Amino acid sequence: MNAQEPPLESTSPLTDALAQLDGAAKHLGISSGSHAMLAQPRRELMVSVPLRRDDGSTVVYSGYRVQHNFSRGPAKGGLRYSPSVDIDEIRALAMWMTWKCALVDVPYGGAKGGVTFEPRDHSKAELERVTRRYTSEILPIIGPDVDIPAPDMGTNEQTMAWIMDTYSSAQGHTVPGIVTGKPISLGGSLGRASATSRGVSHVALMAMASRGIDPTQASAAVQGFGKVGRDAARFLHDAGVTVQAVSDVDGAIFNGNGISVSALGAHVDATGSVAGFDGAEDLNPADLLTAEVDALIPAALEGVITADNAHDIHAGIVVEGANGPTTNEADAILHDRGVLVVPDILANAGGVVVSYFEWVQANQAYQWRESEVNERLKERMTRAWYSVIEYASLHRLTYRQAATALAVQRVVEAHELRGLYP
Ligand code: NAD
């Protein structure tokens, strides 16, 4: 593998994830048997999720839980509620979770779950019923030592509280370690809610420093204003970066002098969307990705930076808050153009790092101070950043290739030490 090697054609997150694994396997020279095992999830479950709606009618949704790997520990990964969820998307996200956990050296394998529906079209009571039914369907394959869900797109700490309660009811006692990203009052970790965004901001600032960019002279655009994008914009703003453009599913906004992230947050709390914010002008959402900023933070969904728009990306730094926002074809184009891409498995790993801290705290029934959580997070993100840039420079790889190779190497090592049963 070298940075110039043409990627396989990008057709979906799964083909991209498999092509990234192929590249790492060739670079590391791993055996075809180990490669084949890593290309395949260890276990997957597809379930029907019937929902009795508030009007008395019944609809049936599809749910999934994919456990990609257990070599380094229990499987770990988020739960996504979105109409775009399908089994291949969940397979790709589960594989990326394995690499992410290995890269930041937390003792987990990777998993992901999803239910195919639009949560915004449902009442809170319906969301609770979907969550409890989905949890009861996947109950045989999850557990605090087996597979630990967390929030992802369309889910939040309330969702985790319902999962914890459903699982605990089945066990007959409270099991706080079954999920992470719980409310603080149920054993959630201080600092977890903003951990992914904090990590995104740490690596964005390290990427700027590596390019000699002073954050107080830098500008950024953030796609997505949810759990990841909102606080990423806030932390970058707090570091002196001028956040010029922000978008969500309903629209995009731009202000060349900078958007007040706290005022935008208040607007979103009141209206549900960034659209219509009076501290900025409306922007065509597609133009957010090509805005004339120093750093672009895609923090919404996969496959948004493609071969069609990669030539027009203006930012010199792309920090992947979302999972899989850049297709492999776009990645090669950005590399050729000298754009520094901080890959998802590094950039957004802050969430799983603090999820791990939450699991440790839950299992020990002991809570750490928020400052302690944040310091340990920063230390882990910094260590992962330097391991990736050093490996990339040593082997002449892109940061994504280096991060994937480092992670795959750790998983293969664990797998080989344990041996193949029987
Ligand atoms: P979320 O549901 O809280 O927020 C998603 C945001 O994206 C919302 O603001 C939504 O309006 C916006 N969005 C959706 N479609 C869009 C579009 N077409 N254009 C612009 N904006 C759009 O989800 P989240 O938890 O913030 O997750 C976002 C991404 O980050 C996902 O890829 C997820 O897998 C990844 N991620 C999340 C975490 C976490 O801790 N939550 C950790 C690591 C990675």
Side-chain angles (χ1 to χ4, degrees):
M1 175 171 68
N2 65 55
Q4 276 72 46
E5 190 171 312
L8 299 180
E9 193 187 344
S10 306
T11 53
S12 74
L14 185 59
T15 55
D16 280 354
L18 288 169
Q20 290 157 12
L21 171 62
D22 286 350
K26 282 194 196 106
H27 167 73
L28 296 166
I30 65 173
S31 70
S32 60
S34 292
H35 182 181
M37 281 190 67
L38 293 174
Q40 193 84 2
R42 287 287 299 277
R43 190 191 278 163
E44 40 187 52
L45 186 61
M46 296 190 208
V47 297
S48 285
V49 185
L51 164 70
R52 194 178 58 260
R53 299 211 60 171
D54 293 341
D55 65 6
S57 64
T58 300
V59 285
V60 182
Y61 296 132
S62 297
Y64 310 93
R65 187 76 189 169
V66 173
Q67 296 164 344
H68 173 256
N69 193 274
F70 305 103
S71 292
R72 290 170 41 86
K76 182 88 189 81
L79 170 62
R80 174 173 291 195
Y81 288 169
S82 161
S84 71
V85 163
D86 63 29
I87 184 67
D88 278 352
E89 179 186 54
I90 299 301
R91 286 174 176 148
L93 291 163
M95 185 182 291
W96 285 326
M97 279 307 295
T98 301
W99 311 149
K100 193 181 303 182
C101 293
L103 183 65
V104 290
D105 205 10
V106 293
Y108 292 137
K112 204 81 181 189
V115 182
T116 314
F117 79 116
E118 175 52 80
R120 300 210 305 171
D121 294 345
H122 291 274
S123 67
K124 187 173 179 188
E126 289 179 343
L127 292 175
E128 177 172 357
R129 290 198 289 277
V130 168
T131 303
R132 289 188 183 278
R133 182 60 189 245
Y134 168 77
T135 306
S136 70
E137 295 292 342
I138 66 160
L139 204 112
I141 65 160
I142 60 171
D145 300 318
V146 186
D147 178 4
I148 306 132
D152 191 77
M153 192 188 293
T155 59
N156 55 28
E157 56 180 38
Q158 175 62 76
T159 321
M160 296 305 113
W162 291 325
I163 294 176
M164 178 183 144
D165 185 68
T166 307
Y167 185 85
S168 298
S169 300
Q171 304 303 311
H173 59 96
T174 298
V175 187
I178 179 61
V179 283
T180 60
K182 297 180 287 294
I184 304 289
S185 54
L186 292 180
S189 176
L190 297 167
R192 171 61 184 92
S194 56
T196 309
S197 318
R198 202 177 275 281
V200 166
S201 165
H202 286 321
V203 292
L205 295 173
M206 288 189 281
M208 286 182 195
S210 76
R211 290 255 160 137
I213 298 172
D214 174 356
T216 63
Q217 305 299 314
S219 55
V222 182
Q223 184 190 46
F225 203 68
K227 293 185 294 299
V228 179
R230 180 173 175 157
D231 280 340
R234 175 166 70 91
F235 291 130
L236 288 171
H237 178 268
D238 291 350
V241 175
T242 306
V243 177
Q244 292 186 335
V246 174
S247 69
D248 67 11
V249 69
D250 296 319
I253 55 169
F254 178 83
N255 183 340
N257 295 322
I259 292 167
S260 163
V261 178
S262 55
L264 178 60
H267 171 82
V268 170
D269 288 342
T271 67
S273 167
V274 304
F277 176 58
D278 62 11
E281 300 157 18
D282 283 350
L283 179 71
N284 177 348
D287 294 342
L288 178 129
L289 296 168
T290 55
E292 295 202 6
V293 291
D294 298 299
L296 172 65
I297 322 287
L301 58 174
E302 356 14 297
V304 293
I305 304 177
T306 65
D308 293 335
N309 63 11
H311 287 289
D312 303 322
I313 302 289
H314 186 280
I317 296 172
V318 174
V319 182
E320 295 185 334
N323 286 307
T326 312
T327 67
N328 284 0
E329 290 169 320
D331 219 17
I333 295 168
L334 294 177
H335 173 75
D336 288 344
R337 294 187 48 230
V339 177
L340 188 166
V341 179
V342 186
D344 44 12
I345 60 171
L346 171 61
N348 67 38
V352 79
V353 168
V354 178
S355 274
Y356 165 59
F357 295 162
E358 177 175 332
W359 182 73
V360 169
Q361 292 170 81
N363 292 339
Q364 296 183 339
Y366 183 78
Q367 191 169 64
W368 302 351
R369 293 190 314 277
E370 186 164 0
S371 58
E372 201 174 343
V373 172
N374 292 342
E375 274 160 33
R376 289 182 192 227
L377 168 65
K378 188 171 185 183
E379 192 257 312
R380 290 229 178 205
M381 294 304 295
T382 306
R383 199 177 344 141
W385 164 263
Y386 282 107
S387 69
V388 169
I389 66 168
E390 280 159 20
Y391 195 91
S393 136
L394 189 65
H395 296 279
R396 297 174 173 273
L397 301 175
T398 67
Y399 287 2
R400 189 187 315 281
Q401 290 167 336
T404 308
L406 272 168
V408 170
Q409 189 173 34
R410 288 180 186 163
V411 177
V412 169
E413 186 184 339
H415 169 64
E416 287 177 352
L417 284 168
R418 290 176 65 156
L420 181 60
Y421 174 84

